Amino acid sequence: MGLALSPPDDRPNLFLDLGLAERIQSEFVDIRDAGAVFAAVTAFRPQIVFHLAAQALVRRSYADPLETFAVNVLGTAHVLEAARQTDSVRAVVCVTSDKCYENREWVWGYRENDPLGGKDPYSASKAAAEIVAASYRETLVSGSRFRLATARGGNVIGGGDWSEDRLVPDLVRAIQANSPLVLRNPKAVRPWQHVLELLHGYLLLGERLLAADDGAIGAWNFGPPRGSEVAVSHLIDQALTVWGGDPISIRVEPSTLREAGILKLDASKAEAELGWRPLLSFADTVRLTMDWYHSYCERPASARKLIEAQITDYRRIAAAASPVDKDYSRL
């Protein structure tokens, strides 16, 4: 079962493109509504909950900080409380962000035991969500039937994202409209990684929690391989090379809003203790992402086939890279 807001009607979205309404049980629920979340979870009675619902845009958090805190902090509490009150739940993976750390503009990656913090409302809300999850983990569900972990991923790219104010979707829209791409900070460095890398990590973590592995409880980073932390301008150059065609105009409009200049994650813990590691290079990540958008723009009806093909390819890569005999059919 999936809980989410209603899909937007002003841009493409995968919920409609993939026909998910006919393929899975789903409900349109605002996680700020504690009663609705509780009713949905208790009615479905899941064994595992993956909590990814969020207000995920930094600039929107400045425009509407109350919405951001309500969704990301109180909404997280609503999801965790519904899980706590539903006796079928045995595991919860609560996804936050690499921006939950107190950013010191370090050139090395943050580790799970580094201080939480956040100057902009979005980052602060993610740090607060981590604290809420830790409170549930340490006091409210400690020793109970279900296990709780948080997952902190890097800057996610991949086919199917059409959100506003997001770098790759903005680039694709600029290409389609033959209009300039507007960048806030071309020099900002981020840990870029493909969405399938993160989903792989979340599933492995959820599997361990569901197996009652207490070693999986806690916070986990899932970051890209070293060398994938590059500037926005480098990502754009690579993406345009993969796309091909005529160059586009790029206009820089610096923002007065405060955002981190550099972010990196250290995923050593996940690699050592979960057996997860990033499998895609930066070049592979950009190629898979732009290939998806290019094919989709030519044939929007092919969205499902494009995603299924990339999942199949990633399963093959994961199986080949695994040192043990694992079943990757569920990835």
Side-chain angles (χ1 to χ4, degrees):
M1 180 186 74
L3 301 183
L5 296 177
S6 300
D9 55 11
D10 60 342
R11 58 181 181 269
N13 68 85
L14 283 184
F15 185 83
L16 297 179
D17 285 339
L18 302 182
L20 290 183
E22 293 75 41
R23 302 181 66 197
I24 65 169
Q25 181 179 343
S26 60
E27 292 191 32
F28 299 136
V29 171
D30 189 327
I31 62 170
R32 291 174 293 183
D33 186 338
V37 173
F38 177 77
V41 174
T42 55
F44 185 71
R45 296 182 55 78
Q47 286 189 307
I48 185 168
V49 174
F50 290 91
H51 170 41
L52 292 89
Q55 193 300 95
L57 302 173
V58 173
R59 286 211 295 183
R60 184 169 169 178
S61 78
Y62 278 102
D64 197 342
L66 291 182
E67 176 201 41
T68 300
F69 288 121
V71 173
N72 294 351
V73 185
L74 197 55
T76 294
H78 292 162
V79 172
L80 294 178
E81 184 62 18
R84 186 170 79 103
Q85 298 293 340
T86 305
D87 60 13
S88 63
V89 177
R90 293 167 47 201
V92 176
V93 176
C94 181
V95 176
T96 61
S97 170
D98 59 347
K99 297 176 182 64
C100 70
Y101 293 105
E102 179 184 342
N103 189 283
R104 300 181 182 181
E105 302 294 340
W106 281 336
V107 295
W108 54 84
Y110 293 98
R111 294 186 174 183
E112 289 84 351
N113 57 357
D114 282 322
L116 300 172
K119 297 179 177 64
D120 61 89
Y122 171 76
S123 301
S125 74
K126 287 301 187 177
E130 284 280 350
I131 293 171
V132 168
S135 175
Y136 268 83
R137 185 173 63 239
E138 298 296 331
T139 62
L140 296 173
V141 300
S142 177
S144 72
R145 72 188 177 280
F146 85 78
R147 288 155 178 80
L148 169 62
T150 57
R152 305 161 180 176
N155 278 56
V156 187
I157 60 176
D161 180 8
W162 294 105
S163 299
E164 61 177 330
D165 204 22
R166 297 267 287 171
L167 185 60
V168 172
D170 284 350
L171 171 61
V172 175
R173 284 188 283 260
I175 293 171
Q176 288 183 299
N178 194 26
S179 61
L181 171 66
V182 178
L183 300 178
R184 300 193 299 273
N185 185 2
K187 295 181 180 179
V189 173
R190 296 290 184 266
W192 310 103
Q193 60 193 136
H194 196 273
V195 62
L196 291 178
E197 298 271 60
L198 285 169
L199 294 178
H200 182 192
Y202 300 161
L203 289 171
L204 285 177
L205 180 56
E207 181 182 51
R208 292 276 290 271
L209 293 169
L210 203 57
D213 182 352
D214 288 342
I217 295 171
W220 299 86
N221 286 342
F222 294 98
R226 186 171 298 176
S228 294
E229 309 98 335
V230 302
V232 166
S233 59
H234 184 65
L235 172 66
I236 294 300
D237 288 343
Q238 288 283 104
L240 288 172
T241 297
V242 173
W243 187 279
D246 297 330
I248 67 168
S249 173
I250 296 176
R251 187 169 71 242
V252 178
E253 295 182 359
S255 173
T256 59
L257 304 179
R258 184 165 187 168
E259 293 187 60
I262 182 171
L263 277 174
K264 293 184 179 182
L265 282 179
D266 185 326
S268 300
K269 178 184 173 184
E271 294 182 28
E273 300 182 26
L274 292 180
W276 175 90
R277 64 182 177 88
L279 303 174
L280 302 174
S281 67
F282 175 72
D284 289 335
T285 294
V286 176
R287 176 183 54 80
L288 283 171
T289 299
M290 299 312 293
D291 282 352
W292 191 95
Y293 281 103
H294 200 286
S295 297
Y296 178 90
C297 290
E298 291 182 341
R299 283 190 60 231
S302 67
R304 178 174 170 182
K305 288 185 177 180
L306 292 171
I307 287 178
E308 289 176 345
Q310 290 196 345
I311 290 174
T312 297
D313 287 344
Y314 188 82
R315 283 177 178 163
R316 189 178 302 115
I317 294 169
S322 176
V324 296
D325 184 18
K326 286 185 65 70
D327 177 15
Y328 285 94
S329 63
R330 288 175 294 170
L331 289 183

